[in-house]
């Protein structure tokens, strides 16, 4: 496993974007330089690896606030219903707090309704939760009629779900919507792998809500990266300073007396709010948020200019 300080960094490898993810191609010799003589591998064989760009670890991008509506809470794109029963006592006057034990993360009825509705839409399952005859016939043609009979014997209560899982393997595109629901049902009722169901259900809902926007955003980031590679970074820095300076002047009461760290976080939040409404995000570089160091430099420049204005006004009053 490569560590943070490992000289064999993925950053040095050529990258390719696939949807919202970046991947890199590495050779086995690059990955396992000390194991070439010990393992039966070809050092020139290549493998694709997921690439996660470096990012700030202190907080999520945009530093979203928590919106508390009693039984419903939200922060950025995360939102949950709560059981509203405090796990630990809070001091009077403190903001309400809650633990992950209070979060409602899985509504079985809602989940089951979604899965069966998608299967019915694809005509894989009928309203009485029976696998469609054409699925059974097509699978029998591939696996043999005895295979389906064995499914009924080994899973007498859930053999229809087992049929849909097989159909997803043979007839659907992996990671398509029908693939998700057929596999989730099998994981839940047959394989009892509840953790994996939770991961897939969360990803399923994220794709429904945000996938179009994320892919569009990544496309704009790629165009922005290409434009940046052609030059114009000095102009973009001036544009970023101009936007933040305008926001800072309008919202001067918010930033006037905060600490440097608070001012940086506030500027990052303003930038995220601006980018959320912009056709092409301004406060990102090569698809990544600008660093805290960049915002600290802007804040120092902004405060220096503000002090200059105050000093000029004081001189005019004398």
């Amino acid at each position: 496993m490569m560590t943070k300080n490992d000289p064999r960094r993925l950053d040095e490898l050529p990258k390719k974007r696939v949807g919202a993810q970046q991947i890199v191609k590495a050779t086995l010799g690059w990955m396992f330089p000390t194991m070439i003589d010990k393992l039966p591998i070809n050092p020139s064989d290549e493998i694709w690896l997921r690439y996660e760009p470096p990012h700030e670890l202190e907080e999520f991008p945009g530093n979203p606030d928590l919106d508390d509506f009693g039984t419903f809470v939200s922060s950025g794109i995360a939102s949950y219903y709560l059981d509203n029963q405090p796990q630990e006592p809070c001091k009077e006057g403190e903001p309400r707090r809650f633990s992950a034990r209070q979060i409602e993360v899985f509504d079985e009825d809602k989940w089951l309704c979604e899965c069966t509705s998608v299967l019915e839409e694809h005509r894989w399952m009928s309203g009485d939760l029976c696998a469609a005859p054409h699925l059974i016939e097509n699978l029998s043609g591939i696996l043999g009629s005895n295979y389906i009979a064995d499914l009924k014997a080994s899973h007498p209560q859930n053999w229809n779900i087992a049929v849909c899982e097989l159909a997803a393997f043979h007839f659907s595109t992996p990671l398509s919507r029908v693939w998700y629901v057929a596999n989730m049902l099998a994981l839940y009722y047959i394989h009892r792998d509840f953790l994996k169901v939770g991961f897939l259900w969360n990803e399923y809902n994220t794709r429904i809500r945000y996938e179009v926007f994320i892919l569009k955003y990544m496309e704009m980031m790629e165009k922005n990266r290409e434009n940046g590679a052609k030059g114009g970074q000095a102009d973009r820095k001036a544009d970023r300073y101009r936007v933040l300076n305008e926001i800072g002047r309008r919202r001067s009461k918010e930033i006037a007396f905060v600490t440097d760290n608070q001012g940086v976080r506030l500027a990052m939040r303003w930038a995220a709010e601006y980018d959320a409404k912009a056709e092409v995000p301004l406060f990102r570089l090569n698809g990544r948020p600008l660093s805290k160091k960049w915002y600290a430099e802007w804040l120092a420049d902004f405060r220096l200019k503000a002090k200059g204005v105050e000093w000029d006004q004081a001189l005019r009053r004398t």
Side-chain angles (χ1 to χ4, degrees):
M1 178 180 293
M2 287 174 288
T3 63
K4 181 177 180 182
N5 298 318
D6 197 306
R8 294 172 294 116
R9 298 289 298 276
L10 295 180
D11 308 62
E12 67 191 41
L13 299 176
K15 302 168 185 63
K16 177 181 180 180
R17 183 169 298 284
V18 180
Q21 179 66 53
Q22 289 190 70
I23 56 177
V24 295
K25 184 185 287 186
T27 63
L28 294 181
W30 183 88
M31 290 187 63
F32 307 106
T34 63
M35 305 293 289
I36 294 176
D37 298 330
K38 302 176 183 178
L39 296 176
I41 61 175
N42 183 349
S44 61
D45 285 349
E46 296 177 325
I47 185 173
W48 287 103
L49 302 172
R50 176 183 294 182
Y51 174 71
E52 297 290 349
H55 55 85
E56 297 289 341
L57 298 177
E58 183 177 343
E59 192 47 88
F60 288 113
N63 299 278
D65 289 326
L66 175 69
D67 295 315
D68 188 343
F69 300 97
T71 57
F72 180 79
V73 293
S74 176
S75 178
I77 67 171
S79 58
Y80 293 99
Y81 285 99
L82 304 178
D83 63 17
N84 212 29
Q85 298 298 318
Q87 298 286 344
E88 302 292 342
C90 295
K91 294 181 180 180
E92 186 176 353
E94 280 192 349
R96 186 173 70 116
R97 304 184 188 280
F98 53 87
S99 74
R101 289 174 292 168
Q102 295 171 256
I103 291 175
E104 296 179 5
V105 295
F106 188 72
D107 184 332
E108 184 177 357
D109 291 337
K110 178 181 178 181
W111 167 78
L112 181 59
C113 181
E114 173 70 17
C115 291
T116 55
S117 296
V118 172
L119 292 176
E120 289 175 23
E121 182 69 20
H122 284 78
R123 295 183 174 84
W124 281 22
M125 185 174 278
S126 61
D128 54 1
L129 304 185
C130 291
H134 72 87
L135 278 188
I136 299 174
E137 181 180 350
N138 291 338
L139 287 171
S140 296
I142 297 173
L143 305 171
S145 57
N146 289 338
Y147 196 96
I148 303 300
D150 291 341
L151 277 184
K152 293 181 179 180
S154 58
H155 304 290
Q157 294 182 331
N158 296 312
W159 71 270
N160 290 285
I161 291 175
V163 166
C164 290
E165 181 186 25
L166 282 171
F169 181 86
H170 288 283
F171 307 134
S172 74
T173 302
L175 302 183
S176 62
R177 192 160 180 171
V178 70
W179 181 93
Y180 271 91
V181 300
N183 279 281
M184 283 192 292
L185 286 171
L187 286 169
Y188 190 86
Y189 290 110
I190 297 176
H191 309 299
R192 315 298 286 177
D193 192 339
F194 305 122
L195 182 61
K196 193 168 289 185
V197 172
F199 276 111
L200 289 177
W201 179 232
N202 178 68
E203 185 174 65
Y204 179 94
N205 281 289
T206 300
R207 293 189 67 176
I208 290 175
R209 295 173 184 170
Y210 307 113
E211 184 158 74
V212 172
F213 304 101
I214 291 173
L215 293 177
K216 182 178 180 182
Y217 181 77
M218 297 305 297
E219 182 182 353
M220 290 191 296
M221 287 295 94
E222 188 66 19
K223 291 180 180 178
N224 186 37
R225 185 194 66 78
E226 293 174 358
N227 292 335
K230 298 175 183 177
Q233 287 303 314
D235 292 338
R236 293 188 67 77
K237 179 179 179 180
D239 289 341
R240 291 166 182 148
Y241 270 49
R242 176 183 55 77
V243 170
L244 283 180
N245 288 343
E246 290 176 357
I247 297 174
R249 284 191 291 269
R250 291 199 311 268
R251 303 170 70 169
S252 58
K253 292 183 179 179
E254 297 178 38
I255 203 169
F257 303 108
V258 299
T259 65
D260 288 346
N261 285 337
Q262 291 171 332
V264 167
R265 289 171 64 86
L266 192 58
M268 293 175 71
R269 186 176 304 156
W270 290 346
E273 291 172 356
Y274 178 89
D275 277 354
K277 300 175 183 178
E279 182 177 351
V280 177
L282 180 62
F283 294 93
R284 297 182 76 88
L285 182 62
N286 295 332
R288 300 199 300 265
L290 298 176
S291 66
K292 287 187 175 181
K293 179 182 178 182
W294 188 94
Y295 287 99
E297 291 173 353
W298 168 81
L299 181 63
D301 181 79
F302 177 77
R303 284 179 164 169
L304 184 63
K305 290 177 179 177
K307 287 181 180 179
V309 171
E310 292 174 359
W311 180 250
D312 181 68
Q313 290 176 345
L315 289 176
R316 290 175 183 273
R317 287 195 296 266
T318 59

